[in-house]
Amino acid sequence: MPSPTRLVQLVVAATLASGLLVPAAGSAHAPVAAPVDAPVDGPAQAPAPAPAPAPVVVPTERQGRTPAAVLDRMSLRQRVGQLFVVGTPADRVDRRTRAQIGRLHVGNVMLTGRSYGGVRPPARVARTLRAEVDADSTAQVRLFVATDQEGGLVRVLQGPGLAPIPSALAQGRWEPHRLRRAATTWAGQLRRAGVNLNLAPVADTVPSRAAARDNPPIGRYDREFGFTTKVVARHAVAFARGMADGGVVPTVKHFPGLGRVRANPDTTAGVTDRVTTRHDRYLAPFRAAIDAGVPVVMMSTATYQRLDRRNPAAFSRFVIGTMLRRDLGFTGVVVSDDLARARQVAHIPPGRRAVRFLAAGGDLVLSVDPGPVPQMYAAVLARARSHDGFKALVDAATLRVLRAKQAHGLL
């Protein structure tokens, strides 16, 4: 297995310093939340500088629990379960999501919606879901618990113990070193709320302030760090490094970019980018983040006419395999944008959405709604049982997820 990247090492170091990565053997750990593009929110305020990150130390493995060894001991049902991130409201446990950890071996969860009660409600949700982890459910592999905490109008967790985070556009006016320190502070607050995976930063570039008005998914809500790829790249890397310094896994999104579309794939069907090319200069922020060692990349569900006119990016072998994996050299975990409620993919049966994403080379199927998950899980399992090539993809994706979890002390 390749040695951890710098970002992975920083996450490990910071988490070890807090004791999060050294639980009692067999105990459940870590909550996971997901992305929400519906905005809501309050005043921006710069947080106090965070302390310097702890020295880099890679955690020792629990006896025999290397990613390959854990994969070998897992049933096919457990392997498939590791490839799902399932939503639950951030302030209460969805009973369906909780049951799916045991029944469908779901290995990751996501805190969704809006919670205004501070760190306690989401931490309680995370603890409850972590308690479902055992040998039968996930082979004792702990959960990624994700959320969407970008800043501005896109902040799932709010209230006491969680600093108001300004929009990305405001963050982009800070010096990168200031943003990195602030993101370290925000990451520490997320960890106290039970989160270990943040579906941020946004690396999409909107061409201009005027263009932002006609760009519903990003520009309309000030989710871009700026209007040049240089500014976006610099600040996306600073945000990602700050999250890692604070012990939270960052996720760069939405590859290959939503900054030049005119509709939001979450709320509109047929969203098509007609300008992005294979070696487009607007890919620069994604390349910078990958070169910096970001461990997770989220795929867009828009269709890119000049890349693959038949498939949304999340279902495109060319976009994931050729552009992201080969051209940019990304070897980490690829997560989909939401495949449950997005209008862009609503015409495709839920099971087919999950199968197509994994067949294209994706790793984590994100479903903010637990409703369609049984269909998705059943379709993936059936395909893996009947097709050796697809089963090999499931095994490879599971191994990438397990490696990421090992790097962050969750194996």
Side-chain angles (χ1 to χ4, degrees), residues 132-318:
E132 299 299 315
V133 168
D134 59 22
D136 293 330
S137 61
T138 67
Q140 294 186 330
V141 176
R142 301 173 185 121
L143 307 175
F144 269 139
V145 179
T147 201
D148 211 15
Q149 200 81 347
E150 299 172 17
L153 298 176
V154 184
R155 286 195 295 135
V156 171
L157 307 183
Q158 302 177 42
L162 295 157
I165 303 175
S167 70
L169 193 58
Q171 294 171 36
R173 291 193 284 267
W174 296 357
E175 288 299 319
H177 64 85
R178 177 187 174 192
L179 177 56
R180 180 172 177 171
R181 287 198 307 269
T184 303
T185 297
W186 302 332
Q189 295 168 352
L190 285 175
R191 282 176 49 204
R192 286 191 287 277
V195 171
N196 57 19
L197 175 65
N198 190 10
L199 298 177
V202 166
D204 310 298
T205 305
V206 179
S208 67
R209 190 174 299 278
R213 291 192 291 270
D214 296 320
N215 178 247
I218 308 298
R220 195 169 292 174
Y221 300 120
D222 294 346
R223 298 174 69 197
E224 71 279 20
F225 285 110
F227 302 113
T228 68
T229 57
K230 182 177 180 180
V231 169
V232 173
R234 200 168 51 203
H235 286 76
V237 168
F239 186 103
R241 284 179 168 154
M243 282 287 136
D245 292 344
V248 171
V249 180
T251 302
V252 168
K253 60 187 184 185
H254 311 77
F255 190 82
L258 283 174
R260 293 180 287 177
V261 298
R262 301 221 167 195
N264 187 339
D266 286 339
T267 57
T268 306
V271 179
T272 302
D273 173 310
R274 304 182 190 282
V275 296
T276 299
T277 59
R278 177 175 175 180
H279 300 292
D280 204 289
R281 65 189 179 92
Y282 278 73
L283 299 177
F286 295 99
R287 181 183 294 279
I290 290 166
D291 288 347
V294 71
V296 185
V297 171
M298 176 183 283
M299 298 302 300
S300 159
T301 54
T303 298
Y304 294 79
Q305 189 173 50
R306 299 178 72 177
L307 302 177
D308 182 344
R309 64 179 61 207
R310 291 193 203 129
N311 299 294
F315 301 157
S316 172
R317 293 181 187 179
F318 178 76

Side-chain angles (χ1 to χ4, degrees), residues 51-116:
V56 173
V57 183
V58 177
T60 56
E61 296 162 354
R62 290 191 285 170
Q63 188 173 4
R65 288 187 70 81
T66 64
V70 172
L71 179 71
D72 190 56
R73 294 172 199 157
M74 280 180 154
S75 68
L76 181 58
R77 293 181 64 88
Q78 289 173 326
R79 295 179 190 195
V80 171
Q82 281 297 311
L83 306 184
F84 285 87
V85 182
V86 181
T88 183
D91 56 0
R92 62 181 175 81
V93 175
D94 189 304
R95 287 179 292 180
R96 294 170 298 172
T97 303
R98 183 177 182 179
Q100 286 170 6
I101 296 172
R103 189 181 311 130
L104 304 181
H105 313 282
V106 162
N108 313 280
V109 296
M110 161 191 169
L111 308 181
T112 65
R114 291 294 184 271
S115 174
Y116 299 96

